[in-house]
């Protein structure tokens, strides 16, 4: 089973002066009107598990109005272990700790990883490529600390190269040096991403067939280095990337940005051989997004040896009955899940009987 969240406590966090929630081992439903603090609670759970927030807030945004600091803390228990994780916001900075010792945000998923599903994720298929890349990379950085380090190093290298490309008097030798750094970092990232995508795509297709009633989904990776990049090892990818950077240097100088590399890649979902982004119905697109999140939970359990925390923020209201039933069946497999909603009518009596229901906004 691995670690479970036994208690979440907040102090001067977002809208809360104080809050304590004790999630169940199975499903916990946070119910209440809009703006009652349900999403703030989910955000706090993501902060102390993923080390980041889907809202991308500034640290001061996490502090309750009128307060000088904020705290989100969780106690994790399981397999004979007790782990206390915490995020403090002090002097405009976030500080993370585990069992009382300072740590990096990227260290937190090593204790308990989380997978978040919000209404915005339902549009993942039809949104721009950057959203799908971010989804894959956000999963990768939680599932493997090495992935997080590689992604961070490549991102910094691309930023530096792009900054140099904007210089009106670019030094070619300096650009050569950054080309070497970018091609090595990009090859390392691409090799890791393709390996991760290969495992995830297989599960997405299987889950989609279950959710959709048997429709066939194919998942592919669109690489700006060309299909020949797929299957190459890191050294061959580095050579291929370096050649592409050299070939497109004039274009990059003209556009003042790096136009090829993993930061420009995309993933594609095909239903019946047709691109779901362009030809899929809204229901099909949402089923793909749902299948992707479910697949992430399954793959995380394989990689880490323990099931991640699943956070569902107000998505039930956006799903039809068939997809809501699929979610209910999935979380019933022993996954610790926190769901927010304004309406308990979206849930079956059986689920509510077994769930911990926490009401928000009551006076």
């Amino acid at each position: 089973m691995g670690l479970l969240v036994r208690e979440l406590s907040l102090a001067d966090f977002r809208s809360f002066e104080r809050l304590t929630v004790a999630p169940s081992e199975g499903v916990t439903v946070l119910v209440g009107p809009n703006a009652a603090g349900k999403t703030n609670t989910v955000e706090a759970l993501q902060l102390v598990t993923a080390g980041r927030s889907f809202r991308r807030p500034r640290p001061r945004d996490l502090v309750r109005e009128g307060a000088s600091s904020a705290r989100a803390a969780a106690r994790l228990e399981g397999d004979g272990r007790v782990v206390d994780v915490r995020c403090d916001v002090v002097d405009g900075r976030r500080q993370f700790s585990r069992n009382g010792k300072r740590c990096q945000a990227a260290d937190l998923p090593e204790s308990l990883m989380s997978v978040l599903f919000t209404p915005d994720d339902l549009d993942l298929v039809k949104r721009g490529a950057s959203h799908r890349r971010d989804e894959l990379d956000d999963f990768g950085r939680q599932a493997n600390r090495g992935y997080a380090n590689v992604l961070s190093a490549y991102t910094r290298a691309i930023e530096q190269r792009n900054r140099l490309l904007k210089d009106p008097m670019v030094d070619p030798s300096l650009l050569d040096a950054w080309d070497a750094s970018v091609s090595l970092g990009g090859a390392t990232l691409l090799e890791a991403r393709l390996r991760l995508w290969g495992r995830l795509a297989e599960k997405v297709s299987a889950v989609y067939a279950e959710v959709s009633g048997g429709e066939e989904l194919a998942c592919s990776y669109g690489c700006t280095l060309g299909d020949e990049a797929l299957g190459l090892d890191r050294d061959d990818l580095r050579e291929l990337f370096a050649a592409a950077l050299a070939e497109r240097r004039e274009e990059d100088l003209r556009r003042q940005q790096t136009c090829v590399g993993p930061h420009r890649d995309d993933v594609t979902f095909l239903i019946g051989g047709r691109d779901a982004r362009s030809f899929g119905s809204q229901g099909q697109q949402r089923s793909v997004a749902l299948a992707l999140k479910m697949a992430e939970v399954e793959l995380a359990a394989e990689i880490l040896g323990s099931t991640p925390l699943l956070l569902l923020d107000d998505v039930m209201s956006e799903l039809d009955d068939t997809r809501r039933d699929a979610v209910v069946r999935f979380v019933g497999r022993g996954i610790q899940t926190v769901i927010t909603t304004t309406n308990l009518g979206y849930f079956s009596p059986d689920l509510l009987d077994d769930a911990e229901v926490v009401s928000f906004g009551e006076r």
Side-chain angles (χ1 to χ4, degrees), residues 327-343:
V327 171
V328 170
R329 289 195 304 272
F330 186 74
V331 301
R333 299 174 184 175
I335 301 167
Q336 188 178 34
T337 306
V338 177
I339 309 175
T340 71
T341 186
T342 59
N343 183 3

Side-chain angles (χ1 to χ4, degrees), residues 300-323:
E302 281 187 12
I303 294 173
L304 303 175
S306 59
T307 305
L309 173 67
L310 180 59
L311 304 171
L312 304 176
D313 185 36
D314 199 28
V315 296
M316 301 300 268
S317 62
E318 302 295 329
L319 300 174
D320 59 22
D321 290 342
T322 299
R323 293 171 183 83

